[in-house]
Amino acid sequence: MKRRTVVFFLVLLINSVLMAQFLGENDIISVKKDSEVIQAVMDMNLDVLFQKDDLIFIVAGVQDLIKLNDAGIDYSIENANFIKLNERDAYSQGGINGVYHSYLELEQDLYQLESLYPHLAKVEIIGTSHESRYIYAVKISDNVYQDENEATVIFLGCHHAREWISVEVPYLIAKHLLDNYESDPEIKDLVNQSEIWFIPLVNPDGLVYSIYFYRYWRKNRRHNEDGSYGVDLNRNYGYQWGYDNIGSSPNPSSNVYRGPDPFSEPETQAVRDFMLGKDFQALVSYHNYSQIIIYPWGYKAEPSALDDLLHDMAEQMSEKIEQVNGTFYNFGRAGDSLYLTNGDTTDW
């Protein structure tokens, strides 16, 4: 018992020290959410964590704080609250990352799904990351080892390392389909008439880094020429890559750094090469920022040729979500409803 107590205390201490080191260079701040502040945050390319009620929470360095002061934007330092949150998370039940999957736990659970449902689920390795971790895809279909002339859809998760729940959602959808295939006629019909693919973890290196070293890490783990690390994988896809410096950044130290070239990263290359080999009709990419369903275009605040269809689909999705527990998800074009992004997955 004493040994367990000491080990647990050391883990807690290490987490606190790492957070303290991080906060020595950056602060977590909150600003009031209004249209002028949102525009200023976009223009400054600040690293937004999430919105809650009428506040926006941001990771800000010294230069960011100077910019906010110069712009006359009031902010509050939230470091103490986040240190308490980090310490509380050390008590989470489950594996190394509490109730959320680590890379190795996800790997194990995906193969377990394949083992439990060999006639419905198949795991494939579609590529490797900078640090040689596998990127996994899971197919669910009634004839899982055949390529049939059926509707083909894909669900992606965790382009951004710190968005842990974006791993869980596609994984749990896959598990729900398999667990309920025999008992739910609607699910059986869906699986029998389509080929459903899941890539729950696009950014395995970033996820590992965010668990062990820096909770709010966003990018992958490319070692950039200037000595910084990381490319924002959701700014590295080829369509309208680098369209402007608002929807992505050419600065390697930025959290929305788009990389040196389109598809420069092994992670986005893996997704690209996998998807180009199949005829996908629909894609959903999960993130955990706000409660919103967004669709193209992201690189500009204008409609795509499929705007009416995408609007209707998003509206129906929002209605179905609200029917579950009353939670309302807003919806709209990414460039209008959230902020501009170029080189992102759904535009591509």
Side-chain angles (χ1 to χ4, degrees):
M1 180 63 69
K2 290 182 178 179
R3 184 180 180 185
R4 290 181 181 177
T5 303
V6 170
V7 171
F8 178 79
F9 174 75
L10 287 175
V11 170
L12 185 60
L13 179 62
I14 289 169
N15 283 341
S16 298
V17 169
L18 287 172
M19 181 61 82
Q21 288 176 343
F22 159 62
L23 293 174
E25 298 179 359
N26 298 272
D27 290 299
I28 297 182
I29 65 170
S30 63
V31 297
K32 289 286 186 181
K33 182 174 67 175
D34 61 43
S35 58
E36 292 184 4
V37 170
I38 291 174
Q39 186 61 52
V41 167
M42 290 170 54
D43 293 343
M44 295 178 194
N45 262 332
L46 296 181
D47 184 14
V48 175
L49 291 174
F50 57 85
Q51 296 183 43
K52 184 177 181 181
D53 300 327
D54 62 342
L55 296 176
I56 302 173
F57 291 84
I58 298 168
V59 178
V62 174
Q63 294 302 317
D64 298 322
L65 297 180
I66 293 173
K67 291 178 184 178
L68 290 169
N69 284 326
D70 290 344
I73 297 175
D74 294 329
Y75 58 85
S76 298
I77 303 293
E78 302 285 352
N79 294 350
N81 292 332
F82 277 79
I83 289 176
K84 289 178 182 177
L85 177 63
N86 186 68
E87 292 175 347
R88 185 192 69 193
D89 287 346
Y91 290 90
S92 297
Q93 299 300 309
I96 188 66
N97 202 28
V99 296
Y100 297 100
H101 278 91
S102 68
Y103 165 74
L104 292 176
E105 289 166 348
L106 179 68
E107 181 181 58
Q108 178 181 351
D109 283 353
L110 292 179
Y111 278 115
Q112 184 178 35
L113 290 180
E114 182 184 60
S115 176
L116 290 172
Y117 305 99
H119 60 299
L120 295 174
K122 178 181 70 168
V123 177
E124 289 189 12
I125 296 170
I126 66 168
T128 55
S129 65
H130 273 289
E131 297 176 349
S132 300
R133 293 183 177 89
Y134 292 132
I135 300 168
Y136 290 103
V138 182
K139 178 185 178 182
I140 294 178
S141 188
D142 60 336
N143 297 307
V144 73
Y145 287 94
Q146 297 179 25
D147 290 328
E148 300 180 281
N149 185 24
E150 296 179 332
T152 308
V153 299
I154 187 166
F155 299 86
L156 303 167
C158 202
H159 278 82
H160 295 141
R162 64 193 179 207
E163 298 176 5
W164 295 347
I165 202 170
S166 71
V167 178
E168 307 308 311
V169 174
Y171 167 76
L172 288 172
I173 293 174
K175 187 175 187 301
H176 181 76
L177 293 175
L178 294 170
D179 288 346
N180 294 279
Y181 176 80
E182 294 294 347
S183 60
D184 189 322
E186 185 176 4
I187 287 178
K188 177 174 279 193
D189 191 48
L190 278 172
V191 171
N192 288 352
Q193 295 190 48
S194 57
E195 296 185 349
I196 309 168
W197 286 91
F198 300 87
I199 306 177
L201 179 51
V202 176
N203 185 7
D205 297 346
L207 177 68
V208 170
Y209 193 80
S210 76
I211 292 172
Y212 287 95
F213 298 103
Y214 171 17
R215 171 62 183 92
Y216 300 106
W217 186 256
R218 172 184 171 95
K219 301 185 286 184
N220 74 350
R221 291 299 294 166
R222 165 190 277 270
H223 191 189
N224 299 316
E225 291 184 359
D226 67 349
S228 65
Y229 279 85
V231 167
D232 183 340
L233 295 178
N234 205 41
R235 304 294 187 276
N236 189 241
Y237 286 80
Y239 186 72
Q240 299 297 337
W241 177 88
Y243 177 79
D244 59 32
N245 293 335
I246 300 174
S248 66
S249 174
N251 180 2
S253 64
S254 169
N255 267 295
V256 291
Y257 174 49
R258 56 182 172 249
D261 300 289
F263 290 114
S264 60
E265 305 311 291
E267 298 90 350
T268 53
Q269 291 170 19
V271 174
R272 175 197 64 190
D273 296 346
F274 172 75
M275 290 191 62
L276 290 179
K278 304 184 184 301
D279 183 22
F280 285 101
Q281 280 80 58
L283 173 149
V284 177
S285 179
Y286 285 100
H287 296 259
N288 64 265
Y289 176 86
S290 191
Q291 292 176 182
I292 188 168
I293 303 164
I294 55 176
Y295 51 84
W297 295 122
Y299 80 95
K300 62 180 180 179
E302 295 181 15
S304 72
L306 297 176
D307 191 67
D308 290 342
L309 173 63
L310 294 172
H311 178 275
D312 289 346
M313 291 173 64
E315 185 175 29
Q316 291 180 45
M317 289 172 68
S318 177
E319 290 173 354
K320 289 181 179 297
I321 291 171
E322 191 170 12
Q323 288 169 10
V324 174
N325 60 6
T327 301
F328 176 72
Y329 273 62
N330 204 347
F331 55 91
R333 292 188 293 270
D336 290 330
S337 301
L338 194 60
Y339 45 69
L340 295 173
T341 61
N342 52 63
D344 74 71
T345 318
T346 50
D347 276 10
W348 174 73

